[in-house]
Amino acid sequence: MVAGVAKAGRYARMNHIISNGEEGLRPLVREAADVRITNLSRQFSGGPPVLDHLSLTIPAGEFVVLLGRSGSGKSTLLRTLAGLDPVECGEVLRPAAVSVVFQESRLLPWRRVWQNVVLGQKGPAAKQRALSVLAEVGLEHRVEAWPLTLSGGEAQRVALARALVRDPSFLMLDEPFAALDALTRIQMQALVLTLWRKHQCTTLLVTHDVDEALILADRVLVLENGRIKIDLPVPLSRPRRHADPVFEGLRCELLHALGVHDSE
Amino acid sequence: MTARFYLREGRRLLSPVLLVAGWQVASACGLISARILPSPVQLSRTLWGLIKDGSLLTNLLVSLERVSFGFSLALIVGVTLALLSGLSRWGEDIIDAPLQILRTLPALALAPLFILWFGIGEEPKILLVFLGALFPIYLNLHKGIRNIDPKLLEVARTLGLSRAQTIRDVILPGALPDLLLGVRYAFGIAWLMLVVAEQVNAESGIGHMMMDAEDFLRTDIILVGLIVYGLLGLISDRLVRTAERWLLVWQRQGGTRV
């Protein structure tokens, strides 16, 4: 009983969050921690729709990667889920405990690394929590550093720590490795997989790197003109190898869906 | 490393030292008339005399008092106004427009009006300093608050920070570099306003001391006054720079990757 109520409290109808502020949180009783988008549309004045009657369900704990060219609407979708863009048309249901990691680390340069991690969190145990989550991302030696002294990969790991310390049931990552060099990127992908397995949170990662999508995802979505063009499960066990023929086949399929052909 | 540093500092001192030496030689040879430009040696004698009879210290304290009053007032009012107009639409509409109009007025031109309104006491002098220092403080802090990286504000939203937390952790520290820049400008203008205020209808202060010296053709005292003003400007600038180094330690260390 108690568990049921607690669970229900973690859900919120997003259009209420936006229109009514914090007081508008309306818990819905649901069994699973799914993310559910129904008929979501978004249009900026006069232009073509950015999101066009998009419906999508992400079961709890699934790792979904969203692929798409620039302007396909993937960032708008993520921003809407994060509560940064309003829900104008359609309905969005998602857990209340969400965290976002952006392409840039977006750390406050005037707060030390650990203070950035527990920003806005109160209590004497805050620093302890920061230390343990920084250890998880392998940054225990940079706890007291100023963000401007971090490398790009380190800064992104702090951003990951800041997302995880809030114990999200839904983690969103908006092209989180796009600005990193190739080697750091591989390390970060492995780190994200480890953390996802450990925390078991539903994860949505936006990228335009097909290989990254196939290394990470349970399921890859390709977005085009605000609609889901294909929805492709990745039936491979991890760690995955590029040389695997199934991997290669999926890769061709995704590139084709993105409008990239081998002959080009 | 340190040896090279001292060598560099020594080289930087070289040209001023040579200049003063040349000036002394030229004065001693009679190339420069003592009435137009007294020699460095004579200046130091005058300075010593002014220190010994206490007149320099008295006047200096009066000047310092005016600047500290006017400047503190400008800091309090400027920061308050900038916070009000930077943090709320209402404040912006009510405060910013009139201040943007007022700032185009040359504050020095208000001196005659202030003397008519407040007489020749301390008020017009303090008010002139206040008015001169107010605008750089207000304008820079307001700009700093308005120019906070919107991406950081977005993060604050996704992290669920309250308005108060966002102001405390994101907006104010982010605007601090601009505030300190404004303070540095404000000090420069404050000294300028003081000079003018003290040379018009004053009975004490460094500026008054210089005006008095003019009546007695004491070029040396005027020059001592100039040197004192210069030193005051230099010291206040150093103070702000020290505050910057201390308050913006995150910026300084950011320059060099550890």
Side-chain angles (χ1 to χ4, degrees):
Chain A
M1 275 306 281
V2 177
V5 173
K7 208 179 239 177
R10 295 175 75 182
Y11 294 89
R13 198 186 280 270
M14 284 235 336
N15 39 15
H16 284 274
I17 299 180
I18 283 135
S19 56
N20 303 345
E22 294 296 319
E23 307 87 319
L25 287 172
R26 207 163 72 186
L28 292 176
V29 183
R30 296 181 72 93
E31 288 301 309
D34 300 349
V35 173
R36 183 158 301 190
I37 303 167
T38 321
N39 257 324
L40 181 67
S41 291
R42 185 91 206 277
Q43 194 165 9
F44 294 113
S45 55
V50 184
L51 296 174
D52 189 6
H53 296 93
L54 188 140
S55 294
L56 169 67
T57 300
I58 307 176
E62 196 174 52
F63 197 133
V64 173
V65 171
L66 196 58
L67 271 176
R69 289 175 168 253
S70 306
S72 58
K74 55 192 195 311
S75 281
T76 307
L77 178 58
L78 186 127
R79 290 178 59 84
T80 310
L81 281 168
L84 291 170
D85 278 5
V87 179
E88 285 170 348
C89 179
E91 191 177 51
V92 174
L93 293 163
R94 56 116 161 109
V98 298
S99 284
V100 191
V101 177
F102 298 94
Q103 182 178 336
E104 324 82 14
S105 61
R106 301 196 184 183
L107 303 174
L108 299 180
W110 43 83
R111 292 279 183 270
R112 292 182 188 274
V113 161
W114 75 267
Q115 291 168 320
N116 263 287
V117 169
V118 287
L119 190 68
Q121 300 213 312
K122 295 191 188 82
K127 184 159 187 180
Q128 271 316 310
R129 283 210 309 284
L131 291 182
S132 75
V133 73
L134 280 168
E136 266 188 68
V137 299
L139 278 182
E140 52 274 75
H141 58 297
R142 302 296 264 143
V143 169
E144 297 286 347
W146 296 107
L148 291 178
T149 65
L150 301 175
S151 69
E154 285 175 330
Q156 266 326 53
R157 279 190 276 168
V158 178
L160 259 178
R162 181 176 64 184
L164 289 174
V165 83
R166 277 146 237 274
D167 234 341
S169 16
F170 181 32
L171 175 65
M172 287 168 268
L173 305 127
D174 188 5
E175 303 191 32
F177 318 132
L180 303 179
D181 66 80
L183 294 176
T184 312
R185 201 174 241 245
I186 292 171
Q187 289 174 332
M188 289 295 286
Q189 289 165 355
L191 177 65
V192 163
L193 273 183
T194 312
L195 294 172
W196 168 69
R197 275 210 203 92
K198 189 173 164 203
H199 291 263
Q200 302 193 317
C201 47
T202 315
T203 302
L204 178 67
L205 183 141
V206 168
T207 180
H208 36 226
D209 181 340
V210 173
D211 285 328
E212 183 166 287
L214 287 171
I215 292 279
L216 296 174
D218 289 323
R219 186 175 151 208
V220 182
L221 308 171
V222 174
L223 208 63
E224 191 181 82
N225 299 327
R227 289 165 175 272
I228 292 170
K229 192 175 182 189
I230 51 169
D231 186 339
L232 197 68
V234 184
L236 290 168
S237 62
R238 298 179 178 91
R240 293 168 180 166
R241 309 251 163 256
H242 291 70
D244 190 315
V246 182
F247 191 108
E248 192 50 42
L250 291 169
R251 191 169 179 273
C252 283
E253 198 171 337
L254 287 174
L255 283 172
H256 188 77
L258 286 162
V260 182
H261 302 285
D262 284 343
S263 56
E264 279 177 349
Chain B
M1 180 70 192
T2 45
R4 182 178 285 183
F5 172 78
Y6 285 121
L7 196 70
R8 179 104 202 277
E9 288 295 295
R11 273 211 310 270
R12 284 151 63 98
L13 279 175
L14 196 63
S15 55
V17 167
L18 281 179
L19 203 69
V20 171
W23 172 11
Q24 179 63 38
V25 170
S27 296
C29 300
L31 287 174
I32 304 173
S33 147
R35 177 153 297 175
I36 293 172
L37 193 66
S39 72
V41 171
Q42 197 188 331
L43 277 183
S44 29
R45 266 196 222 115
T46 309
L47 180 64
W48 182 237
L50 288 171
I51 292 172
K52 242 178 34 187
D53 72 9
S55 57
L56 183 67
L57 190 67
T58 324
N59 286 313
L60 182 64
L61 284 179
V62 170
S63 294
L64 278 178
E65 195 180 305
R66 287 172 185 152
V67 163
S68 353
F69 269 131
F71 194 87
S72 313
L73 205 60
L75 196 63
I76 293 166
V77 175
V79 168
T80 310
L81 289 178
L83 289 180
L84 286 175
S85 81
L87 295 176
S88 85
R89 285 278 155 217
W90 264 86
E92 167 123 46
D93 293 343
I94 291 169
I95 294 168
D96 197 52
L99 279 180
Q100 296 289 351
I101 295 168
L102 275 180
R103 118 196 134 90
T104 59
L105 275 180
L108 286 176
L110 292 171
L113 194 62
F114 278 12
I115 289 168
L116 277 183
W117 283 351
F118 305 106
I120 56 167
E122 290 302 293
E123 294 92 341
K125 301 172 184 68
I126 291 173
L127 274 178
L128 273 178
V129 171
F130 160 73
L131 214 66
L134 176 69
F135 290 104
I137 292 173
Y138 169 81
L139 292 171
N140 279 284
L141 181 55
H142 180 259
K143 187 195 86 190
I145 293 174
R146 284 287 166 200
N147 287 355
I148 294 288
D149 186 354
K151 289 180 170 172
L152 293 183
L153 295 177
E154 253 177 31
V155 166
R157 268 174 72 192
T158 61
L159 295 182
L161 261 58
S162 69
R163 177 81 180 140
Q165 283 172 324
T166 307
I167 291 173
R168 195 195 63 203
D169 290 331
V170 183
I171 298 178
L172 293 186
L176 190 60
D178 288 290
L179 173 65
L180 288 169
L181 186 69
V183 165
R184 224 157 79 199
Y185 282 134
F187 260 125
I189 295 182
W191 293 119
L192 184 72
M193 301 302 273
L194 182 76
V195 171
V196 175
E198 287 188 341
Q199 293 189 352
V200 180
N201 252 325
E203 284 159 343
S204 54
I206 298 293
H208 166 75
M209 185 184 87
M210 290 163 74
M211 290 309 283
D212 246 15
E214 191 192 335
D215 292 342
F216 298 101
L217 302 175
R218 290 289 301 272
T219 326
D220 51 340
I221 295 184
I222 295 180
L223 282 171
V224 168
L226 279 175
I227 293 169
V228 171
Y229 273 141
L231 285 177
L232 288 175
L234 201 70
I235 291 169
S236 57
D237 202 66
R238 273 295 154 93
L239 276 178
V240 183
R241 277 174 192 275
T242 309
E244 275 177 353
R245 263 216 299 283
W246 185 62
L247 290 169
L248 307 180
V249 61
W250 52 272
Q251 256 181 0
R252 187 164 53 110
Q253 298 205 341
T256 51
R257 290 236 157 134
V258 184

